Amino acid sequence: TWLSNINPLVGDKAIQLHAVTMKDNASAMSWLPVGEIVDDLNVNNQIITDKDAWAPFIVDVVQHTYETIELNYGRLIADILEIRNSQNSGYRQNKLQEVYVQLDEPFKEWIASLDKDMPKNEALRKWDVILRQVLSDEADYLLSEASDRDYRGIEISMTKGNKKRIKNIVSVMSNFHNRLDETLKGVE
């Protein structure tokens, strides 16, 4: 690749990658451009060109991030929608999108901070601290906009016996934090 060819010239300096694409109108008949999407990423050259070590690690971190968001924050949103007796998938998608927007800059800063000599478990721990903070902040925001109905909750049947329990914003927030603790073990 071109990066491998210039690697001896660049050394361990940071490379700034710019990506530009067009957003279309999603109509198969026209595919008219309706906007431009631009993004950039600063990353150490040694990280990009070390395909055997860092590239798979970064892919794994992205997958880990996606799963953590979907399984933890996505579940929290689904629980809130259940309490509200709502099927509004647009609300869920918007809230998930907001989390990804909140993670964009911290991810760019994290990836720019990677050094080829950094232990990968240290790099992952650094990222997990950031991920936990962003998800906790977003969950706290959801709690701050909770309504009386969210606090009153709903009565749900337990799987064993004829017992019922209350599912409300407080119980689902507790479950969210417990799941997050389990997913991001050892991260305070």
Side-chain angles (χ1 to χ4, degrees), residues 36-124:
E36 184 178 72
I37 300 170
V38 179
D39 205 0
D40 61 81
L41 185 66
N42 292 311
V43 63
N44 185 299
N45 177 50
Q46 300 293 325
I47 301 297
I48 291 178
T49 56
D50 188 3
K51 293 182 209 112
D52 297 328
W54 282 99
F57 171 77
I58 292 169
V59 168
D60 289 346
V61 168
V62 170
Q63 184 63 32
H64 160 75
T65 301
Y66 172 79
E67 290 170 2
T68 301
I69 292 169
E70 290 296 319
L71 297 175
N72 294 288
Y73 191 71
R75 173 79 183 273
L76 173 63
I77 297 166
D79 286 342
I80 291 170
L81 288 172
E82 180 185 4
I83 291 167
R84 294 175 181 172
N85 194 25
S86 173
Q87 303 297 320
N88 186 350
S89 62
Y91 177 81
R92 182 180 189 280
Q93 288 308 110
N94 286 342
K95 291 299 180 185
L96 288 172
Q97 188 175 16
E98 288 172 15
V99 166
Y100 286 111
V101 167
Q102 292 300 318
L103 283 170
D104 185 52
E105 282 304 315
F107 181 78
K108 289 177 181 181
E109 291 169 8
W110 171 78
I111 208 163
S113 76
L114 296 178
D115 178 85
K116 71 179 176 101
D117 298 324
M118 176 186 284
K120 288 182 186 62
N121 61 344
E122 179 186 326
L124 177 60

Side-chain angles (χ1 to χ4, degrees), residues 1-185:
T1 67
W2 65 271
L3 270 176
S4 298
N5 292 338
I6 66 166
N7 188 31
L9 300 171
V10 177
D12 66 351
K13 299 208 173 27
I15 293 178
Q16 188 173 47
L17 302 173
H18 293 279
V20 179
T21 188
M22 296 299 289
K23 183 176 180 172
D24 61 60
N25 66 351
S27 169
M29 298 297 225
S30 64
W31 300 110
L32 289 172
V34 293
E36 184 178 72
I37 300 170
V38 179
D39 205 0
D40 61 81
L41 185 66
N42 292 311
V43 63
N44 185 299
N45 177 50
Q46 300 293 325
I47 301 297
I48 291 178
T49 56
D50 188 3
K51 293 182 209 112
D52 297 328
W54 282 99
F57 171 77
I58 292 169
V59 168
D60 289 346
V61 168
V62 170
Q63 184 63 32
H64 160 75
T65 301
Y66 172 79
E67 290 170 2
T68 301
I69 292 169
E70 290 296 319
L71 297 175
N72 294 288
Y73 191 71
R75 173 79 183 273
L76 173 63
I77 297 166
D79 286 342
I80 291 170
L81 288 172
E82 180 185 4
I83 291 167
R84 294 175 181 172
N85 194 25
S86 173
Q87 303 297 320
N88 186 350
S89 62
Y91 177 81
R92 182 180 189 280
Q93 288 308 110
N94 286 342
K95 291 299 180 185
L96 288 172
Q97 188 175 16
E98 288 172 15
V99 166
Y100 286 111
V101 167
Q102 292 300 318
L103 283 170
D104 185 52
E105 282 304 315
F107 181 78
K108 289 177 181 181
E109 291 169 8
W110 171 78
I111 208 163
S113 76
L114 296 178
D115 178 85
K116 71 179 176 101
D117 298 324
M118 176 186 284
K120 288 182 186 62
N121 61 344
E122 179 186 326
L124 177 60
R125 182 163 165 51
K126 239 174 109 174
W127 175 246
D128 280 350
V129 167
I130 294 166
L131 180 58
R132 173 187 289 283
Q133 187 62 55
V134 170
L135 290 177
S136 293
D137 288 350
E138 290 298 307
D140 289 346
Y141 180 75
L142 287 177
L143 184 61
S144 76
E145 60 180 16
S147 68
D148 288 345
R149 177 186 177 126
D150 295 333
Y151 281 98
R152 278 192 307 274
I154 57 173
E155 194 174 88
I156 60 171
S157 298
M158 303 278 286
T159 53
K160 294 180 183 177
N162 289 335
K163 295 184 178 182
K164 296 188 183 268
R165 70 176 183 91
I166 299 295
K167 183 176 192 176
N168 65 14
I169 190 77
V170 175
S171 64
V172 299
M173 287 295 285
S174 176
N175 291 340
F176 163 76
H177 285 291
N178 289 338
R179 282 191 309 271
L180 198 58
D181 288 345
E182 184 64 29
T183 304
L184 303 176
K185 289 180 182 167

